[in-house]
Amino acid sequence: MLEGRRVVVGIGGGIAAFKAVTLVRELQRRGAEVRVVMTAAGARFIGPVSLAGLTGKPAVVDLWDPSYAGEVHVELGAWADAVVVAPATMNLLARAANGHADDVVLATLACARGALLFAPAMHERMWGRAATRRNVAALAADGARFVGPVEGALANGEVGAGRMAEPEEIADAVEGLFASPDLRGRRLVVSAGPTHEDLDPVRFLGNRSTGRMGFAIAEAAAARGAEVVLVAGPVTLATPRGVERVDVRSAREMEAAIQAAVARADAVVMAAAVADYRPAERTAQKRKKSDGPLTLELVRNPDILAGLGASRQGARPVLVGFALETERVVEHARAKLERKQVDLVVANHASDGFGGADNLVTLVDAAGDEPLPRASKRTIADRILDRIVDRLRD
Ligand code: CTP
């Protein structure tokens, strides 16, 4: 949450500027007080009047407007706990990286006392340009943070890595700016995504996990200062900043990767949807059909989490599991807590978690059940990490 935080949103000149309205709303919903500054190009994509209406303050476009008494960039730069530029165009990044200050967004960045966050949006080729790479690296070296861009449909209908992150995700990143480094010096192993159990060179058994919950946990843990190893099944998500990623396919590969990473771990979070069974045989050649029905023989996969629970000596690493259920959710979760000898189980209903940005979960541990309000996966990730921090303190 962002109660009591003051955030300046700087809107650059890109088509994604229309999402800035939702971003302002989302920041306000989380408790932030928001002011808006815009480049002249930004104001060609979205009207300052809309943003003034939302914030109750003028959305400043022109540094030279005589109706702004005093120096608006100096005042806002001092006022803001964070300045978020969304969308940040190629041009705006270039000018910010080089210390230009000749419009109200750049001047506010130049005067900012608080944290800086950029949400870039541009065509994939512009994002990949050597000049943009240099400018992003320079801004990051100066302490600025970035969220996105993400893979998706670009303005012209092409698909590429240049789309601005969604407002929810940007708001999460703003929260991340204020995160306390309470996991500094801690090492976390997080698993995420499905596993694919191969039948032959072209077919597999899998499940619908997207990996978003586990990636959110890895990202949040890194933002809180942890050293994070993310063991990821086959997913299409970008690696969160500052996270070491190990890609795996099957449950057995995942187990091996986790065993390799767990030695010095303070906590292990198993957010992966690990397949309980695999085909008894993976044929070297593609299986050919016949006219009759097909019976597949499946054998059990190792239960990675139960294995960690059984082999643990003492209270480290802290073990967190997930329970995705379709009925009697908390009851099943509590059974897993005991059977797998873990510290916390995050219970959710299959209809609440898959695929979306939000999740509805109950935290189940020896002390009781805590149902959390529906929230973004990032917010839930932080609540899970709060529990881990508590355990590590004990
Ligand atoms: N898990 C694991 N290894 C497996 C299966 C599950 O480590 N082979 C972990 C998951 O990552 C999750 C927890 O155990 O943290 C519970 O997973 P879930 O599939 O809900 O439970 P299962 O133990 O498979 O029980 P069931 O399928 O009978 O509900």
Side-chain angles (χ1 to χ4, degrees):
M1 286 293 134
L2 290 165
E3 273 96 16
R5 298 295 186 183
R6 295 158 162 181
V7 180
V8 169
V9 174
I11 303 177
I15 187 82
F18 77 92
K19 292 196 213 168
V21 172
T22 319
L23 173 63
V24 169
R25 265 268 177 258
E26 181 59 22
L27 293 169
Q28 289 173 327
R29 193 185 68 74
R30 298 183 189 205
E33 193 182 338
V34 182
R35 300 277 302 267
V36 173
V37 293
M38 312 173 76
T39 64
R44 296 178 73 150
F45 284 93
I46 174 114
V49 177
S50 308
L51 292 144
L54 279 178
T55 58
K57 298 276 186 195
V60 184
V61 183
D62 184 359
L63 270 180
W64 302 103
D65 187 328
S67 68
Y68 305 127
E71 294 179 299
V72 75
H73 59 294
V74 178
E75 180 204 318
L76 286 179
W79 174 84
D81 297 313
V83 180
V84 186
V85 182
T89 59
M90 179 179 182
N91 187 51
L92 206 155
L93 290 175
R95 284 150 36 95
N98 288 287
H100 291 227
D102 56 352
D103 69 34
V104 68
V105 174
L106 292 166
T108 305
L109 286 169
C111 265
R113 277 211 288 239
L116 308 185
L117 177 71
F118 292 90
M122 63 196 76
H123 189 277
E124 184 174 34
R125 283 197 294 281
M126 298 168 93
W127 178 244
R129 235 345 117 193
T132 306
R133 309 279 88 234
R134 282 196 301 274
N135 293 328
V136 168
L139 287 164
D142 292 345
R145 305 271 196 93
F146 286 82
V147 52
V150 296
E151 186 95 20
L154 304 175
N156 64 356
E158 287 178 54
V159 172
R163 189 182 159 90
M164 189 170 86
E166 292 304 318
E168 272 263 306
E169 204 180 324
I170 299 173
D172 285 345
V174 173
E175 284 193 24
L177 296 173
F178 303 118
S180 68
D182 53 4
L183 283 167
R184 185 170 292 155
R186 302 295 191 179
R187 182 175 157 92
L188 264 70
V189 178
V190 181
S191 72
T195 64
H196 285 180
E197 309 296 327
D198 288 338
L199 282 155
D200 68 20
V202 296
R203 304 183 181 96
F204 61 85
L205 300 176
N207 62 66
R208 288 168 52 196
S209 168
T210 60
R212 290 179 74 162
M213 190 65 237
F215 274 61
I217 294 168
E219 180 177 71
R224 290 166 72 155
E227 189 190 325
V228 182
V229 179
L230 173 61
V231 180
V235 295
T236 55
L237 300 172
T239 309
R241 215 164 277 278
V243 165
E244 179 190 336
R245 172 171 179 173
V246 182
D247 284 312
V248 298
R249 226 179 123 68
S250 65
R252 286 193 296 178
E253 279 177 35
M254 182 172 279
E255 184 185 40
I258 289 173
Q259 296 291 357
V262 82
R264 293 185 296 113
D266 295 292
V268 180
V269 183
M270 284 293 299
V274 186
D276 289 318
Y277 295 91
R278 66 176 179 277
E281 186 195 7
R282 179 196 188 280
T283 57
Q285 304 303 328
K286 190 180 159 202
R287 293 176 191 242
K288 304 306 281 183
K289 65 177 164 295
S290 65
D291 289 338
L294 170 69
T295 304
L296 284 176
E297 194 192 343
L298 303 179
V299 295
R300 277 295 304 270
N301 268 331
D303 188 319
I304 303 169
L305 186 59
L308 294 171
S311 63
R312 174 165 63 159
Q313 317 274 333
R316 296 284 180 281
V318 172
L319 296 177
V320 179
F322 275 69
L324 183 76
E325 308 289 349
T326 55
E327 54 164 6
R328 295 188 289 155
V329 175
V330 171
E331 188 185 323
H332 284 307
R334 185 159 295 285
K336 280 175 195 174
L337 181 80
E338 284 156 20
R339 180 156 41 84
K340 303 198 184 201
Q341 303 174 60
V342 301
D343 302 295
L344 177 69
V345 171
V346 184
N348 67 329
H349 194 280
S351 63
D352 292 320
F354 265 137
D358 281 5
N359 207 349
L360 182 63
V361 309
T362 299
L363 302 184
V364 176
D365 71 5
D369 311 332
E370 186 194 353
L372 299 182
R374 175 174 285 283
S376 69
K377 287 184 173 171
R378 173 58 188 259
T379 299
I380 289 174
D382 275 313
R383 296 295 79 74
I384 296 167
L385 294 172
D386 290 345
R387 292 293 192 94
I388 292 175
V389 168
D390 286 346
R391 292 243 165 212
L392 289 173
R393 205 182 288 126
D394 289 345

